[in-house]
Every structure is written in structure tokens, then in C-alpha cells.
Amino acid sequence: MSGEAATIADASAAGHGEAMSEPHCPRLGRIIDALGSTLLRRVAGPVTTDRPVGSVSIYDPADGVDVAADGLLLGVGVADSATATMLLAELRRRGAAALLLKAPMDEAVRQAADAAGITVLEVSRATSWEQLVFLLRTLIDLPERGDAAAEYPSGDLFQLANAIGALLDAPITIEDRSSRVLAFSSGQDRTDEGRVQTVLGRQVPAQYQRLLLEQGVFREIYRSREPVYIPALAEGFKPRTAIAVRAGEDVLGSLWAVVSEPLTEHRRRAFTEATKIVALHLLRDRAGRTADARPRAELVARLLEQTGNPADTARRLGIGGRSVCVLALELDAPDEDCDEVARAAEIRRVADALALHLSALHPSAAATMLGEMVYGLLPLPGSCDGESTAQRVATDFLERMGARTVLHIGIGRAVGEPCDIIRSRADADCVLRILRERGRGNRLATVRSVRPDLMLACLAEAAELDDRPYGDAVARLLRYDAEHRGDLTGTLAAYLEAFGDITKAATAVHVHPNTFRYRLTRLCEVGGLDLTDPDARFEAQIDLRLHRLHRSRTAAEPARSH
């Protein structure tokens, strides 16, 4: 190991002597230092930085306080001092480590924190709770990787980022190939808006990724073995220096430093040497995640395919007794010249990213791949609207994946029994099919949001089995339109959708109301249709929607066949 690498390793290992004696209990001070003022700060209670921290819990008013000794409690939704004071008293009784809140602290809460001997940390309002949960669990779990951590004198990634930042005198981020932030150093508040958004979101924002792609920055970084200096991309931005982290020819990620000018030769060497130590961490973490994720993915597949005992499988996954929602994801239909290997790699990347995203929300959440489909199991809080919660989670995931990954997500119903998870999967698959039929621009939907289309799909299947897809009236109109190149069915659809408002319907099809009245009379003659009969109107509207569904499916089939 060279001098620079040794210096980094020594710096990042500093202060580890005490922590190594209790590898399963990181200290509160280490967590505060790692997250820094960008995410949270101590505002009340004692400065117990050497306090061990063993878990993270979320306060749910419906379930009461459930926090372990030496645990952190996240006061989600706590906005009044009375509730905060109550929580502090309960945390003292349970021997917890700290309370995390977003609301400003008043004097009553500060006094209660001092009396209870509980540290209160204020969370930045720009930080989502799910992001914070992931960060905290990452910091707590890192020492739990066992004795393998002792093989690397560099400590965890956050300490390593701080050590590299100290040598370069620059704020550092360690990112993976998808521009997700794995760790960051202190001092991010001295950078620029782009870096702050990156740290808070744990992902380089989509607009900045596009800038980097358009200017060929990623291509240059991944081709070079040396640090690459990147001038300010836009007004208000500071320059960067970045370098790829490699294992042989495999690019694992990258290191990014916010700088005011190109690095000196000495610092360039230090930055280059640092990638070797970071690579060891990323390889170790990749191996650990793969070993942990594989059996969980297999269990998820069992539930989704209803093989084995669903109750036992759910228990092994840690979701027994909880409501669960299935998310089904697929990439946009491939182009004719699509690289199959690249597409398979992209599907794997989506599956890994989804597993990471869901694990930040619940430790028992999991994801798996079945063919070209990616599925996620999301455990839900007991007192929430399951579909709405899953929709927020899916929307956030789409935003984090960015515009360059064209994904569609179908969300199934919330189910309470393991044996019903297959029904939630069937829902999610049907929702995806409807999104495909609607075409580009439709990226996410729930069962509730597409219920009319789902009902039509059921009717379409029943009609196909009966070999009589349309009623007599609509069937006659369709034959007439085909033979005479007319659009009487379009006139009928406009009339029904306008609830019989001639003026509105005529405007929709861009004709004069008198012309529309003539066409309406003509279609009633051709189709033998009595529009004064509510049952006839209802049957015609269903038949027209079934016809529209059939056309959209026929048009979608060639794209899916590639």
C-alpha cells in the first residue's frame, strides 16, 4: 500500500479502537458525524456521543411506542411538544438512545429531554423519512458484517469518505454506477445546490445526470484511470473532480470531489490511491448483498408463484401477519435492434435498485426477478391506505431512477393473508397490461385507478369465450364503417360520452351540430339502435369500449413481439 493509501486507511480507522470491542453497536456520535449537519443536528438532551445504538424504530400513534433499548425512535408526524414530551418519558423508561424529530423544538421539549437524559436530534425538513431510515440502518448494519470488517483497516464507507475529504480538503461522495450515493463526507453544506440535492436524495438528480451524459462526462470518467476535472456545468455550480472505482476492468462506481480548481499532483495521486480501498469495500458489500439477497429473492418468487406453504414462506420473509402490496415493474418494450445482454443487465439493475429502495422503508421488504419482470413485496403499516402508500413509494422510485430508465409499474391490491399475495400479483400484472395498452406516457397505476379498464378486460375475456364480442347494433355499425369508410361508431361514442349533449358531442368530433344530428339519425337506422332506451345505451357504450380495448391490444402486440 502506497503512502497516500496508507494515510487514508489510517485516517479512516482513527477512533475505531473502542467501537471494535462492540462491533454490533455503533456509537451515536459516529452516526451524527457521518450524517453531519446536512441531515440532522443535536438540539436538546445530553451529548452522549459514546452511546451505543442498536436499532431504528418509527413512531406510529396507532401502535404506540415500540423501541428497543439503545434504539433510535423516529417521531414521524410529531408536531407538538406534548407528544414529544410523552415520547421522551417513554424512551427513558425503555432505555432508548435518542429521539429524532422534524418540528422545531420549544423550551418544554428541551427541558423534558434534559430531565429524561435522552438526546433529541432535529432532522432536516428536506430529508424524507424513508431516506433517513435507510441511512441510519446502513450505518447501524455496517459493523454487523462480522469479522470481515476487521480485514480492512479503512473502517466503513462514511469514515472513508471523510478521510479522503480531509486529504483533498474537499467534500466527497462515493457513488455506484447508477449515480446513487453510497456514502458522503462532511462539509456538503459548503458545496452547491446540485451536491446538496444529491446527498439529500441519495441520488444524482435526473437533470444533472442528463447534463453529465450530454457532455460525455461519464464516458470520460469510465475510460480514464486518472482523475477527471469537470468545469462548472452551469451557473451557480462548482467544478468537480471525479475518478472511476475499478476492480480489474469492472467499474464499480466513482468518487466525486467538489473543488475550486484542478487538484495538485500530490492530491491527484491520493485520489487515485483512494479508489483501491473504496473498491475493496464495494466488492465486499456487493458479495454480502448478493449472498443475503439470493435466498430472499427465492422466497419472494415462491409467494408470487404460490409454491410451497405461503404462511411459512411469509414467516421466513418476516411479513407474516402484515398487509402486503405487490409492485410489478417492467422496462419499456425493446427496440428491434435492442441488445439482449444490455437489456438483461438493465433489468437486473432495476431489481437491485428496487430491493434497495424498499429496504429503506421496511426491513422485511424484498424484490425478485421472474423472467423480464421485476416484483417487489411492500409490507404496509396497519392503519394506512395500502394502495396510496404503495403509489407514493413507486412514484418516488420512478423519480430516483431518472428519465433514462423507462419503467412501468403496476400496483396490486393490499392483502392481509400470505395465500392472497398471488391475487395482488395478478392485479399488478393486469395493471401493467393496461399501461402497455395506453401507450407511452403512462408509467404507473394502481388497481383502483384503472378499475373500469380492469372490468372491461374481464368482460372482453368473457365475450371471447362466448364467441360474440359485440352486440348487434355496434356490430352493424362496425361493418358499415368498414364497408363505407365512415365513422358512425365515432359519432355514437361522442354522443354517449357527452351524455347526449349534441353541441358538446359535435365539438368533440369537429362537425356542425346539424351534421351531427344527421349522423346520429343515420347510425340509429343502420344499427337498429333506440337511444331513448337506457339499456340499449349502456350496452352500446360497453361494446364501444370493448372495441377500443381490442384495437389497442392489437396495436400493442407487434411492439411486444420484438
Side-chain angles (χ1 to χ4, degrees):
M1 186 181 294
S2 71
E4 289 85 357
T7 304
I8 294 168
D10 292 342
S12 60
H16 254 263
E18 184 179 7
M20 292 299 287
S21 62
E22 291 185 57
H24 297 288
C25 294
R27 306 296 176 173
L28 181 59
R30 194 199 74 163
I31 290 174
I32 295 173
D33 290 340
L35 300 184
S37 59
T38 307
L39 301 183
L40 53 83
R41 64 188 182 94
R42 190 190 69 83
V43 292
V47 186
T48 53
T49 55
D50 61 342
R51 178 67 182 268
V53 175
S55 64
V56 179
S57 302
I58 299 174
Y59 171 61
D60 185 346
D63 296 335
V65 181
D66 183 14
V67 61
D70 294 329
L72 301 177
L73 181 67
L74 276 55
V76 178
V78 176
D80 60 283
S81 58
T83 303
T85 301
M86 177 275 292
L87 292 176
L88 287 166
E90 185 64 16
L91 294 185
R92 179 183 183 182
R93 188 179 71 80
R94 293 172 178 261
L99 174 65
L100 282 69
L101 300 170
K102 279 193 176 183
M105 300 299 102
D106 58 20
E107 189 57 34
V109 175
R110 290 188 177 88
Q111 292 179 3
D114 290 336
I118 299 294
T119 301
V120 177
L121 302 174
E122 185 181 55
V123 179
S124 166
R125 286 188 173 276
T127 305
S128 69
W129 287 108
E130 55 264 31
Q131 291 166 358
L132 184 62
V133 168
F134 175 77
L135 286 168
L136 291 171
R137 285 181 174 153
T138 298
L139 289 169
I140 290 172
D141 291 345
L142 275 172
E144 297 181 0
R145 298 296 173 92
D147 294 338
E151 297 175 13
Y152 304 98
S154 50
D156 64 51
L157 276 180
F158 283 91
Q159 289 175 317
L160 183 53
N162 275 323
I164 299 169
L167 283 178
L168 271 60
D169 191 24
I172 299 294
T173 55
I174 301 174
E175 302 175 12
D176 67 7
R177 280 294 300 265
S178 301
S179 295
R180 290 191 300 265
V181 177
L182 304 175
F184 53 88
S185 69
S186 59
Q188 303 296 335
D189 50 339
R190 296 184 281 104
T191 57
D192 54 36
E193 181 62 24
R195 171 58 71 81
V196 171
Q197 288 186 31
T198 296
V199 170
L200 289 179
R202 291 298 298 269
Q203 173 84 50
V204 176
Q207 64 268 31
Y208 304 134
Q209 289 192 48
R210 282 195 296 272
L211 277 174
L212 294 168
L213 282 168
E214 290 168 1
Q215 299 190 25
V217 173
F218 286 121
R219 182 171 61 252
E220 187 176 357
I221 291 171
Y222 295 149
R223 285 178 177 176
S224 175
R225 298 273 178 176
E226 298 293 327
V228 175
Y229 178 72
I230 305 151
L233 295 176
E235 186 176 353
F237 277 67
K238 295 182 178 180
R240 307 299 201 251
T241 293
I243 186 170
V245 177
R246 302 173 183 276
E249 294 302 317
D250 187 10
V251 176
L252 305 176
S254 54
L255 284 173
W256 292 75
V258 176
V259 296
S260 57
E261 59 186 6
L263 298 178
T264 64
E265 185 58 32
H266 175 77
R267 286 177 172 171
R268 282 175 58 85
R269 288 200 306 272
F271 206 32
T272 304
E273 290 293 335
T275 63
K276 300 175 183 177
I277 299 174
V278 174
L280 292 175
H281 276 274
L282 299 188
L283 286 171
R284 181 195 65 190
D285 290 346
R286 177 201 283 182
R289 284 195 303 269
T290 301
D292 293 340
R294 188 178 297 114
R296 290 187 61 79
E298 291 173 355
L299 291 173
V300 173
R302 287 188 197 176
L303 279 177
L304 295 175
E305 296 176 331
Q306 205 76 95
T307 58
N309 185 321
D312 179 62
T313 305
R315 179 187 58 77
R316 293 173 62 186
L317 279 170
I319 60 173
R322 299 190 66 97
S323 292
V324 176
C325 209
V326 173
L327 280 65
L329 292 76
E330 69 174 354
L331 294 175
D332 203 15
D335 298 327
E336 290 187 19
D337 57 350
C338 174
D339 184 334
E340 293 185 7
V341 175
R343 182 173 174 84
E346 181 68 359
I347 295 171
R348 167 56 64 187
R349 186 179 77 87
V350 169
D352 291 343
L354 180 66
L356 187 65
H357 183 72
L358 296 182
S359 68
L361 305 175
H362 194 283
S364 297
T368 192
M369 289 173 55
L370 293 177
E372 288 201 345
M373 298 288 294
V374 176
Y375 292 95
L377 281 185
L378 177 63
L380 300 165
S383 58
C384 76
D385 180 341
E387 278 192 33
S388 297
T389 299
Q391 186 171 7
R392 288 194 298 272
V393 171
T395 300
D396 187 36
F397 181 70
L398 283 177
E399 291 175 353
R400 295 189 181 199
M401 291 301 292
R404 60 176 176 167
T405 302
V406 183
L407 275 175
H408 304 280
I409 303 181
I411 300 171
R413 76 187 80 177
V415 295
E417 297 296 331
C419 60
D420 290 333
I421 288 176
I422 194 170
R423 296 174 60 193
S424 185
R425 178 204 172 173
D427 289 343
D429 287 338
C430 286
V431 172
L432 272 183
R433 186 174 69 179
I434 289 168
L435 288 177
R436 288 198 297 268
E437 291 163 357
R438 289 181 175 179
R440 291 180 179 272
N442 296 281
R443 301 188 65 188
L444 184 151
T446 66
V447 171
R448 186 184 303 154
S449 68
V450 297
R451 189 168 183 270
D453 292 302
L454 287 174
M455 295 171 68
L456 280 171
C458 293
L459 284 173
E461 291 173 5
E464 288 170 6
L465 289 174
D466 194 33
D467 198 28
R468 189 169 178 267
Y470 309 118
D472 293 338
V474 169
R476 293 190 192 103
L477 292 175
L478 288 170
R479 284 197 300 270
Y480 182 90
D481 284 346
E483 293 171 3
H484 298 83
R485 297 184 180 180
D487 191 22
L488 293 182
T489 51
T491 301
L492 177 59
Y495 175 80
L496 294 173
E497 290 172 4
F499 294 98
D501 186 327
I502 298 293
T503 302
K504 184 177 180 181
T507 301
V509 295
H510 310 291
V511 299
H512 191 277
N514 289 338
T515 303
F516 190 89
R517 289 188 181 92
Y518 168 77
R519 292 182 180 179
L520 200 61
T521 301
R522 181 66 180 144
L523 74 86
C524 288
E525 294 172 353
V526 171
L529 184 60
D530 180 7
L531 289 177
T532 65
D533 182 350
D535 287 339
R537 293 197 303 270
F538 180 63
E539 180 183 2
Q541 190 157 26
I542 290 177
D543 284 337
L544 289 172
R545 292 290 296 272
L546 287 173
H547 175 61
R548 186 186 305 170
L549 176 63
H550 174 72
R551 284 193 308 174
S552 65
R553 287 187 178 176
T554 302
E557 280 307 312
R560 299 302 302 175
S561 65
H562 286 305

